[in-house]
């Protein structure tokens, strides 16, 4: 319905119809906007969306799929010093906004007028937040310094998270150039299972110019020291040289290091899991693709009901006594032409398993063969067809 207006300068004696302007963006339903926000996922991008409008600001806390990319890992002292009393008086998403805008926050401080009260959190979570070594560093909006925020702080005002992915800047394990080491661990209140894939060197297929792409650094001699032999075996047995040239010792180091990295990641997730009851899946990975920690809804609930047992020596979850299966191949050629030297697969489960579960595991190793993406899934599938070696490890 139109209205009448008389403010046309061309002919003041004529009455013109007036059609009020319509913001068609406002006609987009909330459900469609939430679909877009869930596709965005990245917590920094969502922070920018928060300041577009009050409507966006009210919808962002309802996002279900969130990705947090951690910028740095800092010490406990650095993390504690970064938490200031002024943060406690800010509204929701203040940490998220400062994370996104850093030094340019001053020109848009007016957004604070429609920031509501903070979401309450329990004291235990607060204590753990302050000691988290995971942080996102940004320029402070006050003096231009650097402010660190833990993932727990950034996520505290999201109310409906179901799928959460946290990505570390790099893997924890310092491995030599050319060495392959990947792991996947599933946790509840403690370790459920872990799969580790390693190789002392990796050879890739020929490139277009005919050169062989080699992932090793001086692989000619150094790689063979731990391979336990070259490609001529094949009854699936581990060569005797594997035990005498340091090959077995290296695999034990890989296994222990991977378990320590996984248990340390699990320990850091406790405050986030406690705060976000709606979580269905949680993934903690790294930009290098070295290790992945998974938790499904049942495992998340188990941790809330049965708190984790922490190691007395460091800030990580206690690793229980373990049963391990090991498969080894001195030379493993994958379907895409990639060759793994000294390929090793380790499948780990807690020793304290029910007899029914243990019996089922003996015949079903799908959780091992599907632990990795291609081409490493093919490597795991090929390795579990070889001779199996069983080991045990005490709790640590």
């Amino acid at each position: 319905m139109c209205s009448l207006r008389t403010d046309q300068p061309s002919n003041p004696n004529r009455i013109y119809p007036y059609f009020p302007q319509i913001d068609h963006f406002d006609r987009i339903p909330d459900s469609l906007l939430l679909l877009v926000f869930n596709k965005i996922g990245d917590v920094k991008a969502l922070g920018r969306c928060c300041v577009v409008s009050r409507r966006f600001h009210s919808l962002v806390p309802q996002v279900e799929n969130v990705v947090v990319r951690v910028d740095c890992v800092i010490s406990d002292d650095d993390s504690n010093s970064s938490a200031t009393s002024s943060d406690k008086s800010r509204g929701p998403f203040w940490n998220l906004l400062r994370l996104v805008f850093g030094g340019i926050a001053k020109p848009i401080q007016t957004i604070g007028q429609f920031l509501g009260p903070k979401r309450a959190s329990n004291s235990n979570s607060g204590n753990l937040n302050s000691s988290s070594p995971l942080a996102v560093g940004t320029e402070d909006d006050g003096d231009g310094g650097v402010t660190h925020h833990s993932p727990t702080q950034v996520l505290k005002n999201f109310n409906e998270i179901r799928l959460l992915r946290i990505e570390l800047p790099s893997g924890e394990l310092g491995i030599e150039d050319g060495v392959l080491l990947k792991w996947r661990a599933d946790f509840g209140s403690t370790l459920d299972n872990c799969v580790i894939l390693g190789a002392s060197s990796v050879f890739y297929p020929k490139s277009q110019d005919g050169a062989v792409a080699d992932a090793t650094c001086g692989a000619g001699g150094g790689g063979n020291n731990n391979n336990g032999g070259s490609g001529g075996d094949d009854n699936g047995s581990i060569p005797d040289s594997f035990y005498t040239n340091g090959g077995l010792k290296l695999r034990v180091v890989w296994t222990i290091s991977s378990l320590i990295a996984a248990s340390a990641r699990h320990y850091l997730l406790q405050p986030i899991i406690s705060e976000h009851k709606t979580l269905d899946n949680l993934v903690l990975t790294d930009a290098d693709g070295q290790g992945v920690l998974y938790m499904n809804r049942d495992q998340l609930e188990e941790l809330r009901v049965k708190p984790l047992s922490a190691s007395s020596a460091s800030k990580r979850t206690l690793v229980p006594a373990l049963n391990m299966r090991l498969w080894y191949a001195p030379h493993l050629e994958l379907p895409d032409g990639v060759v793994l030297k000294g390929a090793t697969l380790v499948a780990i489960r807690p020793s304290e398993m029910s007899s029914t579960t243990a019996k089922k595991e003996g015949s079903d190793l799908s959780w091992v063969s599907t632990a990795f993406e291609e081409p490493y899934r093919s490597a795991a599938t090929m390795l579990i067809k070889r001779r199996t070696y069983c080991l045990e490890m005490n709790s640590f």
Side-chain angles (χ1 to χ4, degrees):
M1 182 175 181
C2 67
S3 59
L4 301 179
R5 55 182 298 175
T6 60
D7 57 346
Q8 297 292 334
S10 59
N11 188 348
N13 297 321
R14 182 176 178 182
I15 297 177
Y16 293 86
Y18 170 65
F19 297 93
Q21 293 184 350
I22 299 175
D23 186 349
H24 294 284
F25 203 85
D26 288 339
R27 301 174 64 182
I28 300 176
D30 289 352
S31 58
L32 183 55
L33 289 176
L34 283 172
L35 181 62
V36 174
F37 290 155
N38 278 299
K39 292 293 184 181
I40 293 173
D42 181 74
V43 73
K44 292 185 179 182
L46 292 174
R48 298 184 182 99
C49 293
C50 274
V51 297
V52 170
S53 67
R54 296 194 182 196
R55 184 185 181 198
F56 280 20
H57 184 272
S58 66
L59 289 175
V60 167
Q62 302 175 40
V63 171
E64 297 181 347
N65 301 334
V66 178
V67 178
V68 178
R69 293 180 173 87
V70 176
D71 292 335
C72 62
V73 179
I74 60 177
S75 68
D76 291 346
D77 292 339
D78 291 337
S79 179
N80 288 331
S81 64
S82 69
T84 61
S85 58
S86 62
D87 289 337
K88 298 179 180 180
S89 62
R90 308 289 187 176
F93 283 96
W94 173 256
N95 289 320
L96 179 59
L97 295 174
R98 192 163 66 175
L99 162 73
V100 173
F101 293 99
I104 65 171
K106 282 187 176 181
I108 57 171
Q109 284 180 350
T110 53
I111 64 173
Q113 64 186 350
F114 54 85
L115 300 183
K118 270 192 175 182
R119 172 181 172 181
S121 60
N122 59 56
S123 58
N124 291 336
S125 295
N127 294 336
L128 287 168
N129 293 350
S130 63
S131 63
S132 174
L134 304 182
V136 183
T138 60
E139 290 185 2
D140 199 342
D141 59 330
D143 55 8
V146 176
T147 301
H148 300 288
H149 303 288
S150 72
T152 311
Q153 292 173 314
V154 172
L155 293 169
K156 63 187 173 183
N157 289 292
F158 286 90
N159 306 317
E160 305 291 340
I161 301 178
R162 296 193 177 278
L163 175 60
L164 174 61
R165 179 184 176 91
I166 301 176
E167 183 177 296
L168 302 179
S170 62
E172 299 93 328
L173 308 182
I175 57 177
E176 297 180 2
D177 291 342
V179 174
L180 170 69
L181 182 59
K182 291 184 174 292
W183 59 265
R184 167 183 168 147
D186 287 60
F187 275 81
S189 60
T190 187
L191 179 69
D192 280 351
N193 63 72
C194 181
V195 182
I196 302 167
L197 177 66
S200 55
S201 59
V202 183
F203 292 85
Y204 293 99
K206 289 184 178 180
S207 59
Q208 294 181 351
D209 59 5
V212 177
D214 180 7
T216 64
C217 181
N224 290 336
N225 290 339
N226 293 321
N227 288 346
S230 55
D233 75 75
D234 243 35
N235 57 4
S237 299
I238 294 179
D240 292 339
S241 58
F242 179 81
Y243 302 99
T244 58
N245 66 5
L248 177 60
K249 180 180 179 181
L250 177 62
R251 272 65 181 182
V252 171
V253 171
W254 287 350
T255 300
I256 295 176
S257 300
S258 299
L259 288 170
I260 290 175
S263 62
R265 292 188 186 187
H266 181 249
Y267 181 87
L268 294 172
L269 293 174
Q270 186 180 12
I272 295 176
I273 296 169
S274 175
E275 176 108 357
H276 297 277
K277 310 293 186 183
T278 58
L279 274 173
D280 288 332
N281 288 283
L282 193 156
V283 179
L284 178 51
T285 184
D286 58 79
D288 296 336
Q290 187 180 92
V292 184
L293 184 149
Y294 283 91
M295 297 183 73
N296 60 33
R297 186 168 186 83
D298 292 338
Q299 292 166 331
L300 292 163
E301 189 58 32
E302 178 186 327
L303 179 57
R304 297 188 188 103
V305 175
K306 182 183 178 182
L308 59 82
S309 298
S311 170
S312 58
S314 57
K315 291 186 177 181
R316 62 176 178 82
T317 302
L318 185 68
V319 178
L322 303 170
N323 288 329
M324 300 186 293
R325 295 184 176 191
L326 182 145
W327 297 269
Y328 176 80
H331 177 101
L332 189 70
E333 184 171 354
L334 305 183
D336 62 355
V338 174
V339 176
L340 305 182
K341 294 289 187 178
T344 308
L345 181 68
V346 183
I348 303 170
R349 280 273 176 90
S351 300
E352 295 182 358
M353 295 174 57
S354 67
S355 58
T356 304
T357 305
K359 185 176 181 180
K360 182 179 179 181
E361 179 200 357
S363 58
D364 182 13
L365 291 174
S366 59
W367 61 278
V368 180
S369 60
T370 59
F372 306 105
E373 300 295 332
E374 293 293 355
Y376 306 112
R377 177 172 294 190
S378 294
T381 301
M382 297 168 68
L383 283 166
I384 60 175
K385 296 177 182 178
R386 301 173 67 86
R387 179 172 295 182
T388 304
Y389 293 82
C390 297
L391 304 90
E392 294 183 353
M393 184 177 291
N394 293 329
S395 175
F396 64 94

